[in-house]
Amino acid sequence: MPGKLKVKIVAGRHLPVMDRASDLTDAFVEVKFGNTTFKTDVYLKSLNPQWNSEWFKFEVDDEDLQDEPLQITVLDHDTYSANDAIGKVYIDIDPLLYSEAATVISGWFPIYDTIHGIRGEINVVVKVDLFNDLNRFRQSSCGVKFFCTTSIPKCYRAVIIHGFVEELVVNEDPEYQWIDRIRTPRASNEARQRLISLMSGELQRKIGLKVLEMRGNAVVGYLQCFDLEGESGLVVRAIGTACTLDKLSSPAAFLPACNSPSKDMKEIPFNEDPNPNTHSSGPSTPLKNQTYSFSPSKSYSRQSSSSDTDLSLTPKTGMGSGSAGKEGGPFKALLRQQTQSALEQREFPFFTLTAFPPGFLVHVGGVVSARSVKLLDRIHNPDEPETRDAWWAEIRQEIKSHAKALGCHAVVGYSESTSICEEVCILSASGTAAVLNPRFLQDGTVESCLEQRLEENLPAGCGFCHIPYDELNMPFPAHLTYCYNCRKQKVPDVLFTTIDLPIDATVIGKGCLIQARLCRLKKKAQAEANATAISNLLPFMEYEVHTQLMNKLKLKGMNALFGLRIQITVGENMLMGLASATGVYLAALPTPGGIQIAGKTPNDGSYEQHVSHMQKKINDTIAKNKELYEINPPEISEEIIGSPIPEPRQRSRLLRSQSESSDEVTELDLSHGKKDAFVLEIDDTDAMEDVHSLLTDVPPPSGFYSCNTEIMPGINNWTSEIQMFTSVRVIRLSSLNLTNQALNKNFNDLCENLLKSLYFKLRSMIPCCLCHVNFTVSLPEDELIQVTVTAVAITFDKNQALQTTKTQVEKSLQRASTDNEELLQFPLELCSDSLPSHPFPPAKATSVDYSSFADRCSSWIELIKLKAQTIRRGSIKTTVTVEKASPMSEGNFRNRSAPPCANSTVGVVKMTPLSFIPGAKITKYLGIINMFFIRETTSLREEGGVSGFLHAFVAEVFAMVRAHVAALGGNAVVSYIMKQCVFMENPNKNQAQCLINVSGDAVIFVRESELEVVSSQPPTANCQSSCPGGDVTT
Amino acid sequence: MTNELDIFVGNTTLIDEDVYRLWLDGYSVNDAVALRVRSGILEQTGATAAVLQSDTMDHYRTFHMLERLLHAPPKLLHQLIFQIPPSRQALLIERYYAFDEAFVREVLGKKLSKGTKKDLDDISTKTGITLKSCRRQFDNFKRVFKVVEEMRGSLVDNIQQHFLLSDRLARDYAAIVFFANNRFETGKKKLQYLSFGDFAFCAELMIQNWTLGAVDSQVDDMDVDLDKEFLQDLKELKVLVADKDLLDLHKSLVCTALRGKLGVFSEMEANFKNLSRGLVNVAAKLTHNKDVRDLFVDLVEKFVEPCRSDHWALNDVRLFLNQYSASVHSLDGFRHQALWDRYMGTLRGCLLRLYHD
C-alpha cells in the first residue's frame, strides 16, 4: 500500500442550469479512484457552489496510481428522480508520481460531458504521498519520466541512450459490446474514454517497467497511438526511446556502478514476444505472402525514367579517391565492429528521437520504411496482444534488415502508424538508417579529452552526409561524389531522412515544405481480394510519391529532405498518399541538376515548341526558387581542391528518348554540364499532369516560410510570438466520373487551398514561419477526404544580419580546414591506431567544442534555475499578468473601482508542437499530457452544422489541455501533437461524433528577457547558439 | 468538390477587427465577403475569393460562439475555452456594447419592452442600420437595464462591474438606463436637433443631483429613480412666479445686475416673466409622471425656443441663468434656497447644453 492519494473539491463555477423552475442547480461531486467513491455535500441552489470539502483520501497501490485516472463527476441532486450528471473531469495523476515534476495539481478544470461539451468548471486540489517500496518484484514503474519531445529535453543531459521500448495492449471496444445496444450514447462514450485512459496508464506503466529493466530512468520521444479496429478490439500501443537522463542543475551525477551496458543489454527481454523473429507463426499472419515489403533502395535512390547515372562517371582512381578508398574501407569496418557491440544485442536498435546530442549521429544512410497489409477479422485471438505484437515485430525486423543493407546498425527518427478501413489495416513503419556514436549508448561518463580535442579540428556539418555503406558494394545504384565540404568522403547526390536537420549541418539558404500528394482508385472488394488489391497498389504509390518528392525537390533547387513522413491512407474505394518533408540545400551535397522535359513525338513543330515552352517554365521556376530560398552555393574551383568529380562535359544532345525502354535511355549521356539532369517524359497525359502539378504548387506569399521540421533551416532569430493552430477540412467528392487524375487534382487543390487559407489567416504575423506543419489524411467515408493540419506559426526578426555573419564564419572555417590537409591527416592516423581503445570514430565527428560549450550551457542554465526559482516563489501569476496588461485595459478600468474579477483572469498557457519556446527557457518538465476525448451530438444543425460542432470541440480540447497544464503549475505545452481526430457524421440523423487524442509535455518556461536581468554577462552569444537549435542538451 | 467542413482553431483565438465590425454591423457572410473584396484585401494579400469566404465563415463562427459569453462579459474573462489576450477581450466587449448614434436616438427614453422591439424593423429602415445590428443594440440596452435596474450603488460603477465597459461607455449606458427608466420623451420633432451626447450630459447631471442617490447612497434604485420627495417639494418654488412682488423683485435684481452686460438685454427684460414662469412651472409640474416624461419638451418649448427666436448668444444665456439662479438668494421672502439650488443647479447645466442649433 505504497501511496495515499488526497483530493479536495473546492468549488464550482459557471455550472449549467439544471432546474428550469428555479434557474439554478443543486450540485454535488463524486470523487472516484479505482473502486472507492467519495461524495461531497449537496450545495443547494447555486451555479457557483462552494463545497470546500474535506480531504478525500484513497490508499492505493502505486500500480493503480499509474493505471487509474482520478474520476470526478459533478451531478445535480434530484430528490424524486435519479441525479443528473452534469459532466466529468478525468485527472491523470502520473505527473505527481515522480519527484522532480509537479507536487500538486490544483486549479480550475472544465467539466466535460460527451454530449454537451464543457459545462462549467470545478476547482480541485490533488496530492499524492508516496511511500518507498523496496519490493523488487513490483509491477509499477513510478518515477520513470515520460517525454513526448523527440530530442533530449532541454534541462536534462543524456547519460546513456538505451534504445527502443515498445508495448501494446488490447481490449474490447465498448462501442462494439452487446451492451452498447441498450445503453445511452453518453454511457458508451464514457466507457470508451475511461477504458482508453486506463489502457494508456497501463501501457505507460509497462513501458516504464521495461525502462527500469534497462536501468534507464526516462522515456524520450514517447509516442502513443490507439487503433480503433472495430469488432476486433481497441489497441493502444506506444513506442519510445529509453534513456538515462541527468538533470542539468545537479552538478555531479554519478551513475550506479552496476551500470555496465553489456550486461544490461542482455537483460532486455521483450516479455510478450520472446521470439519475434519467427514471422511464420502460423495462423496469426494469414496474409504472410501478401505482405508488401518496401525495399530500401526504392525509398532512397533516385527514380527517373533515365534511370540512374552510371557509376563509371566517377573515376575510381585519382588523387583523392584512392586514399579515401583505402582509408574508408577498413575504417568503416572498424566502426561497424565498435557499434556492433553496443547495438547488436538489441533486438531493435531503433530510436524515436529526431534530434540528437552533438556527436551522436555519425552517418545517415537514408530512409527505410516497411508496410504490411493485414486483415483484422482474421486475428485468431482478438483479445490478446500476441498477433499484433507479431505483426509489428515482423515489420521492425524488416526495417532492421533494410538498415543493415544500407550499412547502418541503427534506425533513428523511427515511427509507426496504421490506417484502418473496415477489416483491412495497413501497418507502416519508417525511420532513417544511421550509424551512431556508441559513446552515448554506453557509459556516458567515459569521455576522453583526446576525443574532444580531435573533434575540434574536424570539419563540421558534413559528417552525417557521408555514406555509411561501401561504395564498391552499394545496396542500390546511386551517384556518389566527394563531399563538397571536406572533400574527403563520398556523399550521395540527394539525401532523404525522417529526422530533424542536425544543428551542426551547413545549409545554404532557407528550407521549405515539400509535399507529394497522390490518390489511387481501388475497386471495392472484400477480405483477401481487397488486401491483395491494396498490396498490389502500394509499390506504385510509393514509387510515385517518391518521384513527386524528387521532382519537387529539384524544382526548388535543393538536395536533401528532412522530417520525411509518408502517410498512406486506405479507404473503401481509394488509397491516398501524402508525403511531407522539409527540403534544404546541404552544402556538403552536390548541386542538384535541373529537370529536363522530353517529348516523345519528334518532327512535330508545335509539339516541340510546347516542350521547349514547358522546359523554359521549369527552368524559370528553378531560378526563381533559388532566389526565393536564397540558395547561392559558393562556386568552388575544382582544380584547387583536386576534385575527383568528372570534368564538365559538353551536353551531347537534348534528350528525346526514342524508346520507352529505360535500359536504352541509360546509355544516353544525361549529364547536364557536370550536373546530372533529371528527365521527365511527357509522352502521355499522365506525365503531362505531373508536370502541370509541379508548376501549380504556389510558393507561400512573401514573408512566409513553412517547414515540417522543428525549426526552419536558415532562420535563427525567432521572436517570441507563437500561434499554434489546428485546421480541419473535409471535402466531398462528386461521385461522378471519378478518375485518378480528377482525384489527384481534388486532393492537390484541397491541400493547396488549405495552405493558402493558413497563410491568409496568419498574415498579421508576417514575417513568420509555419513550423512543424503536420498534415494527416483520413477517408472517413466513400466520398469524403479529411485533412487535418496542426502547426505553429512563429514570428522572426527580418534582420538576419547575425545569421549571415555566422555562416560566413563557418564557411571560412571550412575553407581553412579543407586547405590544410596535413592537419587533418594527423588525427586520422592517430585515431585508426587507437581505435580499439577509443570506440568513438573521430573522422566522422562534429567540430562542436563539446566540453567548453557544455560548461557554458550548464552555467547558463544554473542562472536560469536560480531566476526561475525566485520567480516562482514570487508567484508566476504576476509575470503573466504583466505580460498581458495592455494599455487599453489599463486605460479603461482606471479611475473607477476595478472590476472584481480582473485579478483572477485565466493565465495564458502556450501550446506548441515544437520542443522549445522561442525567446524563452524551459525550466521544468511537469509531466506528460495524454488526453482522449469523445464528443457526440444529436443536434448537429442546432450546433452550427459539422463545422460548428468540430470547431467547438477542438476549442474545448485546447481548453482542457491548457487547464490541466495550468493545474500542474505549468505555462506551456511543448511537443504537442494531435495524434488522432476521427470525425464521423450522419447529417440525415442530425448526428455527429468525433474522437480526439492529444499529447504533449507540460512545462514551465521563463522568458529570456526576464532572465537577462540576473545574468552578468551579455547572454546574446549563448542565446544565438542555443535557443533556435535547441542544442542545450549536452 | 465542396468543402463539407472547414475549421481553423488557434490556441490564441484569432480576432479580425474588420470582420468583427462587419459581424457587429449585422452583415451576412456573403455580404461581408463582398464588402471585404471591395476593400481591396484580395489584391493586398494575393488571396482568392474562396479563401476569403472560408476565413469570413470561420470568424463568424467564432463570434457566434463568443456572443453567449459577451452577454455576461465577466464570463469572457473567466472562461477557459477561448484564450484571448486581455486587450483583445476588452476590445471585443467594448465593440459589442458600442451603439450607433442614430439608433440610440430612436429608442432613448422608450420602454425597453417587446413592443419597442417590434418597431426595430422601422428603425432599421429609417436609420439604414441592419435589423440584426438593431436587435443587438436593443438587446444590449435591455440586458444592461435588467441587470442594474434594481441595484444599489452608483449606476456607472454597477454597469462597469457587470459589463466591464470603459468609463466612457459605462456613462453612456447609465444615461440610457436612466432615460429608459424615467421614460423621458426624446423623439418629438422639436427635440430632433439634440444629440445623444446632449441627453447623456443632462442624464448625468440629473443622476448626480436629482435622484435618491444624491441624498442617500445606501438605497436601492438610488441612481435610476428620481427623488420623489424632491419632486414634491418643487411645488414650493411656485411662489417665485405666483407672488407678484417676488417676481418683480427677482426681475429687478436680475436686470440691475445684467444691465449693459447682455447683448439681448431688452429682449430679456421683456421676456423675463415668461421665461421665469416657464422654468418654475416645469419644476412645479414634475410631481406627475407624465410631466416628468415631457421635461425636455417643456424645457425646449419654454426656454430654448423663446431665447433662440430672440437670437440670444450662448454667453447671454449663461449670464442670464447664472444671475437668475443667484438672485433668488437675495429674495428675503423666499425660504426654499436649498431646494432652488438643487433644482436650478442641474437645470442650468442642462439648459446650457441644450441651447444650440
Side-chain angles (χ1 to χ4, degrees):
Chain A
M1 198 264 307
K4 193 185 267 178
L5 171 68
K6 299 189 289 182
V7 185
K8 186 185 174 104
I9 306 296
V10 183
R13 67 183 184 196
H14 306 150
L15 294 190
V17 169
M18 297 299 281
D19 179 6
R20 283 280 151 222
S22 65
D23 266 3
L24 289 167
T25 297
D26 304 325
F28 71 101
V29 183
E30 271 182 17
V31 185
K32 190 177 173 195
F33 189 81
N35 294 319
T36 319
T37 308
F38 291 102
K39 280 181 192 175
T40 65
D41 298 331
V42 176
Y43 195 93
L44 291 171
K45 304 207 179 308
S46 172
L47 298 183
N48 300 293
Q50 305 289 318
W51 293 289
N52 230 332
S53 79
E54 54 182 305
W55 283 100
F56 300 125
K57 297 188 180 96
F58 301 86
E59 296 182 335
V60 278
D61 285 344
D62 47 359
E63 191 182 333
D64 284 343
L65 280 173
Q66 284 195 294
D67 286 7
E68 294 271 348
L70 176 67
Q71 270 186 80
I72 293 167
T73 313
V74 186
L75 297 112
D76 177 51
H77 177 74
D78 205 323
T79 322
Y80 305 108
S81 59
N83 299 324
D84 295 325
I86 295 173
K88 287 193 172 209
V89 180
Y90 290 93
I91 301 178
D92 180 12
I93 47 172
D94 211 52
L96 295 179
L97 302 182
Y98 35 92
S99 50
E100 290 158 44
T103 52
V104 64
I105 299 176
S106 164
W108 289 100
F109 291 91
I111 302 168
Y112 181 72
D113 178 71
T114 59
I115 304 295
H116 293 101
I118 290 178
R119 305 172 97 190
E121 290 119 39
I122 183 169
N123 195 320
V124 182
V125 186
V126 186
K127 284 180 180 172
V128 173
D129 290 339
L130 272 183
F131 313 124
N132 273 332
D133 184 16
L134 298 172
N135 179 7
R136 59 179 65 242
F137 300 107
R138 61 182 189 163
Q139 289 298 300
S140 84
S141 54
C142 286
V144 174
K145 292 181 280 286
F146 284 80
F147 299 92
C148 294
T149 303
T150 56
S151 56
I152 301 302
K154 294 292 175 294
C155 33
Y156 292 91
R157 187 177 75 97
V159 182
I160 307 176
I161 298 173
H162 298 284
F164 192 57
V165 278
E166 52 80 35
E167 188 58 83
L168 177 153
V169 290
V170 186
N171 211 306
E172 212 179 335
D173 190 338
E175 193 131 309
Y176 292 86
Q177 283 166 343
W178 66 269
I179 197 170
D180 207 58
R181 290 161 202 258
I182 52 166
R183 66 180 163 193
T184 61
R186 175 183 282 123
S188 164
N189 291 339
E190 277 172 9
R192 242 174 154 187
Q193 276 190 180
R194 206 187 103 77
L195 179 70
I196 289 193
S197 177
L198 212 76
M199 286 167 78
S200 304
E202 186 191 339
L203 194 71
Q204 217 167 308
R205 174 174 58 82
K206 286 187 168 170
I207 291 228
L209 279 172
K210 289 186 174 179
V211 173
L212 289 177
E213 269 170 43
M214 296 164 103
R215 298 197 187 266
N217 63 5
V219 181
V220 180
Y222 184 69
L223 179 73
Q224 186 209 297
C225 295
F226 64 85
D227 301 326
L228 298 171
E229 290 185 351
E231 295 285 347
S232 61
L234 200 160
V235 176
V236 183
R237 58 190 163 79
I239 53 174
T241 305
C243 295
T244 301
L245 296 185
D246 196 3
K247 193 117 207 236
L248 275 173
S249 52
S250 54
F254 290 104
L255 286 163
C258 61
N259 208 356
S260 114
S262 54
K263 199 182 88 196
D264 287 347
M265 292 316 160
K266 287 192 185 103
E267 288 174 3
I268 315 164
F270 287 81
N271 300 346
E272 276 65 32
D273 40 6
N275 200 4
N277 288 349
T278 51
H279 326 173
S280 46
S281 45
S284 64
T285 52
L287 273 169
K288 207 189 93 215
N289 46 354
Q290 278 154 1
T291 299
Y292 165 65
S293 71
F294 182 52
S295 91
S297 63
K298 281 194 186 99
S299 68
Y300 176 72
S301 68
R302 304 164 316 119
Q303 312 282 344
S304 75
S305 58
S306 69
S307 179
D308 295 295
T309 325
D310 48 349
L311 282 163
S312 62
L313 283 178
T314 316
K316 294 217 166 61
T317 50
M319 278 167 58
S321 69
S323 63
K326 265 181 255 155
E327 245 167 44
F331 180 73
K332 268 171 200 148
L334 272 170
L335 178 65
R336 224 161 269 156
Q337 266 174 25
Q338 292 303 318
T339 31
Q340 235 152 11
S341 60
L343 287 165
E344 282 291 279
Q345 287 123 349
R346 278 163 223 221
E347 190 175 17
F348 299 117
F350 297 171
F351 300 86
T352 53
L353 304 180
T354 58
F356 310 92
F360 182 76
L361 197 64
V362 182
H363 297 308
V364 167
V367 171
V368 283
S369 77
R371 288 181 211 281
S372 134
V373 184
K374 300 290 182 191
L375 284 174
L376 295 170
D377 53 357
R378 299 297 170 80
I379 301 176
H380 201 58
N381 193 356
D383 296 343
E384 296 298 325
E386 277 82 19
T387 310
R388 283 94 164 181
D389 274 334
W391 287 352
W392 286 112
E394 199 180 296
I395 285 205
R396 289 170 193 147
Q397 207 59 48
E398 209 171 306
I399 291 275
K400 191 180 171 184
S401 65
H402 290 337
K404 230 178 209 148
L406 285 171
C408 297
H409 289 281
V411 176
V412 294
Y414 179 74
S415 66
E416 294 175 350
S417 62
T418 57
S419 172
I420 298 173
C421 178
E422 304 289 325
E423 74 288 341
V424 176
C425 175
I426 302 181
L427 310 183
S428 310
S430 73
T432 305
V435 174
L436 303 178
N437 181 347
R439 186 179 53 164
F440 289 91
L441 307 169
Q442 296 164 7
D443 202 327
T445 47
V446 197
E447 282 170 32
S448 82
C449 324
L450 178 71
E451 280 173 2
Q452 280 169 23
R453 220 181 310 132
L454 290 176
E455 284 175 57
E456 287 167 37
N457 295 329
L458 287 166
C462 62
F464 74 94
C465 305
H466 301 161
I467 53 161
Y469 35 84
D470 193 348
E471 64 175 294
L472 299 173
N473 187 15
M474 284 205 299
F476 50 84
H479 184 188
L480 301 180
T481 49
Y482 277 93
C483 176
Y484 273 56
N485 198 359
C486 66
R487 300 276 158 190
K488 293 280 153 213
Q489 304 283 329
K490 296 274 176 73
V491 292
D493 54 351
V494 281
L495 189 59
F496 284 14
T497 73
T498 58
I499 55 170
D500 271 349
L501 184 70
I503 33 162
D504 49 357
T506 319
V507 171
I508 293 172
K510 294 193 173 63
C512 74
L513 181 73
I514 290 178
Q515 283 195 322
R517 302 149 187 152
L518 187 69
C519 300
R520 273 271 181 266
L521 285 169
K522 157 186 99 61
K523 282 204 184 74
K524 277 192 191 180
Q526 292 300 310
E528 284 184 34
N530 194 16
T532 315
I534 295 169
S535 300
N536 290 342
L537 270 175
L538 281 176
F540 292 99
M541 296 204 54
E542 298 267 10
Y543 175 84
E544 258 184 71
V545 163
H546 190 266
T547 311
Q548 251 189 57
L549 281 175
M550 190 64 90
N551 282 339
K552 289 189 177 176
L553 184 67
K554 297 225 172 214
L555 202 63
K556 294 280 193 300
M558 299 175 185
N559 57 18
L561 286 181
F562 287 88
L564 177 64
R565 191 168 157 263
I566 302 175
Q567 201 198 347
I568 304 271
T569 311
V570 57
E572 282 277 281
N573 56 349
M574 61 178 108
L575 283 174
M576 312 279 283
L578 180 66
S580 307
T582 301
V584 293
Y585 186 103
L586 285 177
L589 265 48
T591 312
I595 297 176
Q596 294 282 310
I597 297 272
K600 199 182 158 197
T601 5
N603 311 324
D604 181 347
S606 67
Y607 190 74
E608 208 152 312
Q609 212 173 9
H610 177 67
V611 167
S612 65
H613 176 68
M614 295 289 286
Q615 181 68 58
K616 188 175 175 298
K617 249 168 114 179
I618 284 185
N619 292 345
D620 287 352
T621 314
I622 295 178
K624 217 168 67 198
N625 280 331
K626 279 190 174 167
E627 197 179 315
L628 183 65
Y629 299 107
E630 295 160 32
I631 300 169
N632 34 18
E635 290 293 327
I636 305 169
S637 162
E638 277 150 22
E639 298 99 87
I640 295 174
I641 312 163
S643 160
I645 285 161
E647 292 290 296
R649 298 180 187 191
Q650 288 295 316
R651 212 170 84 216
S652 53
R653 57 179 152 145
L654 190 111
L655 181 110
R656 193 178 298 138
S657 124
Q658 265 102 16
S659 153
E660 276 152 84
S661 146
S662 58
D663 293 341
E664 233 167 299
V665 180
T666 42
E667 286 163 21
L668 295 164
D669 185 5
L670 303 178
S671 57
H672 177 202
K674 70 173 177 183
K675 294 160 202 159
D676 164 40
F678 203 65
V679 182
L680 277 182
E681 285 185 55
I682 49 167
D683 48 7
D684 58 51
T685 42
D686 246 21
M688 210 52 191
E689 292 278 331
D690 289 348
V691 175
H692 272 297
S693 70
L694 268 183
L695 294 167
T696 48
D697 272 13
V698 233
S702 77
F704 264 111
Y705 292 93
S706 56
C707 63
N708 76 333
T709 45
E710 281 256 306
I711 48 149
M712 178 69 173
I715 300 178
N716 282 343
N717 38 359
W718 302 107
T719 48
S720 58
E721 201 189 335
I722 64 169
Q723 167 72 289
M724 188 282 296
F725 59 85
T726 290
S727 186
V728 184
R729 263 189 201 188
V730 176
I731 57 159
R732 186 175 288 280
L733 301 162
S734 50
S735 51
L736 300 164
N737 57 44
L738 267 184
T739 59
N740 276 334
Q741 278 107 329
L743 214 54
N744 276 334
K745 188 176 181 314
N746 278 332
F747 184 41
N748 213 36
D749 286 352
L750 171 61
C751 295
E752 283 292 316
N753 288 339
L754 189 47
L755 280 170
K756 273 185 216 157
S757 268
L758 297 180
Y759 296 137
F760 181 75
K761 281 214 168 275
L762 298 162
R763 66 193 185 280
S764 65
M765 291 179 79
I766 286 177
C768 89
C769 178
L770 298 187
C771 294
H772 214 285
V773 179
N774 186 7
F775 273 68
T776 14
V777 188
S778 50
L779 299 161
E781 271 171 56
D782 270 17
E783 282 134 23
L784 294 183
I785 304 177
Q786 178 192 328
V787 174
T788 310
V789 187
T790 298
V792 62
I794 311 181
T795 53
F796 62 91
D797 191 353
K798 224 172 187 161
N799 180 13
Q800 301 255 326
L802 284 164
Q803 195 242 329
T804 43
T805 51
K806 194 185 152 213
T807 46
Q808 250 146 34
V809 168
E810 262 174 25
K811 266 177 212 153
S812 64
L813 271 173
Q814 288 155 22
R815 223 19 106 76
S817 61
T818 41
D819 287 346
N820 205 336
E821 284 200 29
E822 282 168 66
L823 239 172
L824 273 170
Q825 213 63 37
F826 164 69
L828 276 172
E829 279 165 13
L830 187 122
C831 78
S832 53
D833 287 338
S834 57
L835 254 176
S837 54
H838 301 290
F840 177 59
K844 270 73 182 187
T846 58
S847 77
V848 178
D849 178 1
Y850 187 73
S851 58
S852 70
F853 184 60
D855 283 349
R856 232 175 13 197
C857 286
S858 53
S859 68
W860 169 233
I861 278 161
E862 280 295 333
L863 274 169
I864 294 160
K865 282 272 136 58
L866 267 171
K867 175 65 176 174
Q869 259 150 22
T870 52
I871 282 173
R872 226 172 313 135
R873 223 171 286 137
S875 148
I876 199 128
K877 277 279 190 297
T878 48
T879 63
V880 174
T881 38
V882 164
E883 184 195 312
K884 292 186 301 183
S886 71
M888 178 162 181
S889 55
E890 266 169 45
N892 285 342
F893 303 132
R894 71 203 124 99
N895 41 14
R896 297 265 167 173
S897 61
C901 35
N903 52 349
S904 61
T905 41
V906 187
V908 171
V909 175
K910 302 231 176 209
M911 290 167 78
T912 171
L914 309 178
S915 64
F916 68 99
I917 292 166
K921 289 284 174 206
I922 293 170
T923 55
K924 194 172 183 186
Y925 282 79
L926 299 165
I928 195 168
I929 296 281
N930 188 4
M931 298 168 98
F932 171 80
F933 299 102
I934 302 178
R935 181 85 155 77
E936 189 165 345
T937 183
T938 48
S939 52
L940 188 59
R941 269 188 298 278
E942 294 77 2
E943 291 189 36
V946 283
S947 295
F949 170 73
L950 196 63
H951 191 146
F953 183 39
V954 173
E956 285 176 341
V957 169
F958 285 4
M960 287 184 277
V961 170
R962 288 193 301 257
H964 277 79
V965 172
L968 286 169
N971 55 4
V973 190
V974 295
S975 299
Y976 167 82
I977 173 171
M978 184 177 279
K979 288 179 294 195
Q980 232 134 354
C981 178
V982 185
F983 178 73
M984 287 158 288
E985 57 165 326
N986 190 341
N988 297 330
K989 283 188 175 169
N990 206 17
Q991 285 176 341
Q993 193 194 35
C994 186
L995 296 85
I996 286 183
N997 182 209
V998 297
S999 65
D1001 295 325
V1003 299
I1004 299 176
F1005 74 87
V1006 180
R1007 286 245 161 267
E1008 258 157 17
S1009 52
E1010 288 158 22
L1011 289 167
E1012 267 161 32
V1013 187
V1014 267
S1015 69
S1016 49
Q1017 80 215 55
T1020 39
N1022 280 342
C1023 292
Q1024 214 55 41
S1025 59
S1026 60
C1027 58
D1031 53 338
V1032 202
T1033 51
T1034 48
Chain B
M1 187 183 90
T2 47
N3 275 359
E4 183 86 357
L5 183 158
D6 179 10
I7 60 156
F8 175 99
V9 189
N11 183 38
T12 305
T13 307
L14 280 184
I15 308 285
D16 186 311
E17 286 183 44
D18 298 332
V19 184
Y20 189 47
R21 201 179 289 279
L22 292 169
W23 178 75
L24 288 174
D25 287 344
Y27 292 106
S28 69
V29 173
N30 289 338
D31 291 349
V33 170
L35 284 166
R36 291 183 84 187
V37 169
R38 225 170 295 157
S39 78
I41 194 161
L42 295 185
E43 291 74 20
Q44 282 164 32
T45 58
T48 61
V51 165
L52 204 60
Q53 173 87 20
S54 144
D55 179 68
T56 312
M57 286 274 277
D58 211 63
H59 282 300
Y60 266 54
R61 205 163 38 237
T62 308
F63 298 142
H64 183 74
M65 286 191 259
L66 284 170
E67 191 165 22
R68 188 177 53 86
L69 298 162
L70 284 165
H71 289 166
K75 271 194 188 162
L76 184 71
L77 262 67
H78 283 295
Q79 55 82 32
L80 304 174
I81 298 177
F82 303 97
Q83 184 159 279
I84 306 169
S87 61
R88 289 263 139 177
Q89 286 179 348
L91 178 127
L92 283 173
I93 297 167
E94 196 75 3
R95 293 259 176 93
Y96 189 78
Y97 282 90
F99 48 81
D100 291 308
E101 167 87 22
F103 177 80
V104 74
R105 279 297 280 108
E106 292 297 321
V107 294
L108 191 66
K110 282 196 181 134
K111 197 175 171 189
L112 298 173
S113 64
K114 286 221 172 78
T116 316
K117 197 166 180 181
K118 276 184 196 135
D119 301 337
L120 291 181
D121 289 15
D122 301 335
I123 297 178
S124 168
T125 344
K126 189 175 163 191
T127 57
I129 298 162
T130 61
L131 183 60
K132 227 175 167 182
S133 177
C134 288
R135 289 221 176 99
R136 171 181 62 82
Q137 298 182 39
F138 182 81
D139 290 342
N140 282 345
F141 294 169
K142 192 171 169 179
R143 195 174 319 110
V144 174
F145 183 83
K146 285 266 180 228
V147 168
V148 300
E149 185 185 22
E150 286 175 356
M151 244 173 220
R152 83 178 38 179
S154 150
L155 184 57
V156 179
D157 284 355
N158 286 339
I159 291 171
Q160 233 174 10
Q161 283 204 9
H162 289 89
F163 294 93
L164 310 175
L165 302 180
S166 67
D167 193 51
R168 168 100 204 80
L169 197 55
R171 281 166 197 276
D172 286 350
Y173 268 89
I176 291 164
V177 168
F178 183 72
F179 267 66
N181 190 54
N182 293 292
R183 312 269 301 281
F184 292 113
E185 174 63 58
T186 63
K188 283 264 165 62
K189 204 162 179 211
K190 284 191 170 90
L191 302 180
Q192 283 311 311
Y193 79 98
L194 292 170
S195 71
F196 169 74
D198 297 336
F199 287 116
F201 179 85
C202 298
E204 198 171 343
L205 282 178
M206 285 155 83
I207 290 169
Q208 275 164 17
N209 300 303
W210 287 4
T211 58
L212 288 168
V215 262
D216 179 2
S217 56
Q218 288 310 307
V219 284
D220 290 346
D221 308 335
M222 54 173 254
D223 273 1
V224 250
D225 288 338
L226 292 168
D227 183 353
K228 286 272 171 341
E229 232 167 282
F230 161 69
L231 298 182
Q232 285 294 333
D233 293 345
L234 285 177
K235 273 193 205 147
E236 309 290 338
L237 301 181
K238 231 174 165 175
V239 69
L240 284 174
V241 286
D243 186 328
K244 192 154 184 324
D245 296 343
L246 218 52
L247 182 62
D248 287 338
L249 186 58
H250 192 189
K251 182 182 172 184
S252 69
L253 280 170
V254 172
C255 290
T256 323
L258 291 177
R259 191 179 305 274
K261 291 180 185 158
L262 225 54
V264 288
F265 183 77
S266 54
E267 290 89 337
M268 188 275 285
E269 200 173 19
N271 252 334
F272 181 87
K273 285 186 182 174
N274 273 339
L275 291 175
S276 184
R277 239 179 241 124
L279 293 176
V280 172
N281 281 336
V282 165
K285 282 199 316 186
L286 284 179
T287 38
H288 306 291
N289 276 338
K290 165 83 183 59
D291 295 308
V292 171
R293 285 183 205 167
D294 285 339
L295 175 69
F296 290 95
V297 184
D298 290 342
L299 290 179
V300 169
E301 259 175 25
K302 302 279 157 51
F303 185 84
V304 175
E305 284 181 347
C307 296
R308 203 154 46 190
S309 65
D310 288 338
H311 307 290
W312 289 39
L314 181 63
N315 200 40
D316 290 346
V317 177
R318 182 175 294 117
L319 286 170
F320 169 73
L321 285 174
N322 287 347
Q323 201 53 49
Y324 177 74
S325 332
S327 304
V328 172
H329 295 286
S330 316
L331 296 174
D332 291 338
F334 186 68
R335 288 173 292 118
H336 308 284
Q337 302 292 353
L339 185 68
W340 172 255
D341 283 347
R342 188 175 174 190
Y343 172 67
M344 218 35 222
T346 301
L347 205 69
R348 188 180 59 209
C350 292
L351 288 171
L352 286 172
R353 177 79 193 218
L354 298 179
Y355 192 79
H356 62 84
D357 292 329

